[in-house]
Amino acid sequence: MNAAVWQGAGRRIHLQEVGTRDGLQAEAAFVDTARKIELIDLLSAAGVTKIEVTAFVSPKAIPALRDADQVLRAIRRVPGVVYSALVPNVRGAERAIDAQADELNLVMSASESHNLANLRMARAQSFAALCAVAATVRASPVALNVSLSCAFGCPMQGDVPAQDVLDWCARYVNELGARGVTLCDTTGMAYPTQVVALVRAFRARWPDTELTLHFHNTRGMGLANVLAAIDAGADRFDASLGGLGGCPYAPGASGNVCTEEIVHALALMGYDTGVDLERLLAACAKLPALIGHDVPGQILKAGRRLDLHPHPHDFEQIAARAAARAGT
Ligand code: COA
Ligand code: ZN
C-alpha cells in the first residue's frame, strides 16, 4: 500500500446507509413504520450521502419492508441527500417513482445460482427485466443504479471471474444508461487484493460512472476491503448502521460493514465522510430496542477511541505502592 494514500488529507468518502433496507430485510421482527421513518430522519440529519430507504419488492418475499410506500412518502427530505430504493421489477419501479424515490437501485447477481435463488430468474431474464425497468425510469427524472450481487464470489458457485463482472457492468453503463454501479460482496467473500484489482479495472474503464462498493463483514474483512478500495480509487461505500444486514437468499450471509465503524476509522485517518459521528451513534443506540437484540457493530459497545474510562477505584494506592517500590 502507498503510505501517502492512507492519510486521508481531507479526501471525501461518500457513505451510503443501507441499514433500513439491507439491515431490516434480514430481521425477524417487523419494525413499526413510524420508528423506521424516525430512524431514517436521524440518519439524514447525521450527514450520510445517500440512504437506501427501503425496497419495493413483493411483500410476501420480504414482509419486513411491506410498508415501503408509506415510509418513502413520509420521511423528511434533507437537501443534498439522495433517497434511493431497491426495485426488482417494473411494478416495483412504478411504486418507487410514485413514492418519489430520487434513485432506483436495480439488482441482479453475477452468479447464476444466486440470481435464481434470490430473484427466481436466470441472469439473462433478469437483465431483460432490468431493461424494462430502465425504460420506465427513462420517462421519469429518477436516476438509475445497478447493484451486482456476488461480484466477488458466490456462496453456491464459488469464484466469479472478474471479466464476467466487468462484462455485466458494461451492459449496465452502455445499454441501461446507469448513473452508477454497485459491486456487492453479498456474502463476505471479497479480499483486499481482489478488491484492488476489480476497482482499478472498473475505474480505468468507466472513470465517470459512480462506483459503489458494498461489503459484508461476514469473514471480518469488511474494513480491510474498504481501505483497499479507497487505495484503488473508490470513494463511495454502502454501510449499515450497527452492522445489520444480510441477504435472506444467500446461505451464511451476515451484516454489512458497519457505518459507525467506518466513519470512526476514516475520521481517524483524516478522510472526510461528512458524517457527524455523535448523531450517528445516537441513531444507532435506538437499534437494539427496535430489532429486539444487540447489534454486531463494536463502537456502540466499546465507545470511540478516545472515550476514556475511569481509572480503577484503588488507582491512587496502586500508584503510591509503585512509587514506594521504585524508591527502595
Ligand atoms: N411489489 C409488490 N408486489 C410484487 C412486486 C413488487 N415489486 N413484484 C411482484 N409482486 C407480487 C405479485 O403481485 C405476486 O403477488 P400475488 O401472489 O398476490 O399475485 C407475487 O408478488 C409474485 O409475483 P411474481 O411476478 O410471480 O414474482 P415471483 O414470485 O417470481 O417473485 C420477485 C419475484 C423478485 C418479485 C420476488 O421474489 C421478490 O420481490 N423478491 C425480493 C428479493 C429481494 O429483495 N432480495 C433481497 C435483496 S437482494
Ligand atoms: Zn448486501
Side-chain angles (χ1 to χ4, degrees):
M1 296 271 166
N2 175 352
V5 177
W6 288 98
Q7 285 157 23
R11 182 174 152 206
R12 185 63 192 252
I13 302 294
H14 301 279
L15 284 182
Q16 309 181 156
E17 176 61 43
V18 298
T20 54
R21 198 280 300 168
D22 207 342
L24 296 187
Q25 81 181 7
E27 291 298 325
F30 178 76
V31 174
D32 186 63
T33 306
R35 300 283 84 77
K36 281 187 186 122
I37 294 165
E38 190 181 40
L39 186 62
I40 293 158
D41 288 348
L42 289 172
L43 288 163
S44 287
V48 292
T49 301
K50 192 185 280 188
I51 302 178
E52 190 165 284
V53 174
T54 186
F56 288 85
V57 294
S58 154
K60 281 187 200 141
I62 310 276
L65 303 180
R66 60 180 183 263
D67 55 2
D69 308 73
Q70 291 141 278
V71 172
L72 191 57
R73 279 175 208 283
I75 52 170
R76 195 157 10 96
R77 309 281 178 123
V78 170
V81 178
V82 173
Y83 296 92
S84 161
L86 185 139
V87 301
N89 52 22
V90 170
R91 167 102 184 270
E94 286 167 351
R95 287 174 59 205
I97 292 168
D98 218 40
Q100 277 161 7
D102 295 325
E103 178 191 276
L104 301 192
N105 187 19
L106 276 49
V107 59
M108 65 171 276
S109 186
S111 134
E112 190 75 359
S113 305
H114 182 256
N115 205 77
L116 281 164
N118 188 31
L119 300 170
R120 316 200 182 289
M121 290 181 255
R123 286 173 302 174
Q125 291 166 300
S126 269
F127 186 74
L130 262 48
C131 291
V133 176
T136 307
V137 173
R138 265 195 286 280
S140 78
V142 176
L144 195 69
N145 186 80
V146 181
S147 281
L148 187 60
S149 305
C150 298
F152 298 89
C154 164
M156 293 163 274
Q157 275 181 224
D159 277 325
V160 172
Q163 194 53 53
D164 287 7
V165 171
L166 295 170
D167 289 346
W168 283 114
C169 292
R171 302 190 73 181
Y172 306 149
V173 175
N174 301 332
E175 295 176 45
L176 299 181
R179 170 174 80 180
V181 174
T182 303
L183 299 178
C184 301
D185 181 27
T186 312
T187 62
M189 294 173 74
Y191 54 94
T193 43
Q194 178 196 30
V195 169
V196 166
L198 199 51
V199 169
R200 282 200 184 132
F202 187 102
R203 274 271 148 266
R205 245 177 111 176
W206 300 286
D208 300 324
T209 300
E210 213 175 81
L211 170 65
T212 298
L213 281 304
H214 176 110
F215 294 122
H216 282 257
N217 205 25
T218 320
R219 293 180 177 82
M221 289 187 278
L223 178 59
N225 286 332
V226 169
L227 294 176
I230 289 176
D231 195 34
D235 64 356
R236 207 168 262 281
F237 297 91
D238 284 347
S240 98
L241 194 66
L244 300 185
C247 175
Y249 301 98
S254 64
N256 285 90
V257 290
C258 168
T259 315
E260 64 272 17
E261 285 179 5
I262 304 291
V263 167
H264 178 260
L266 292 184
L268 289 171
M269 297 170 77
Y271 292 96
D272 170 21
T273 62
V275 179
D276 180 330
L277 186 55
E278 198 90 39
R279 287 186 165 188
L280 195 65
L281 287 170
C284 188
K286 293 187 178 290
L287 276 181
L290 288 186
I291 57 177
H293 61 83
D294 213 1
V295 296
Q298 296 295 316
I299 307 284
L300 202 58
K301 296 161 214 159
R304 290 161 294 189
R305 176 173 171 270
L306 287 178
D307 288 345
L308 301 182
H309 298 268
H311 292 83
H313 66 92
D314 56 349
F315 186 75
E316 279 180 23
Q317 288 138 284
I318 298 172
R321 270 202 300 274
R325 250 183 263 124
T328 57

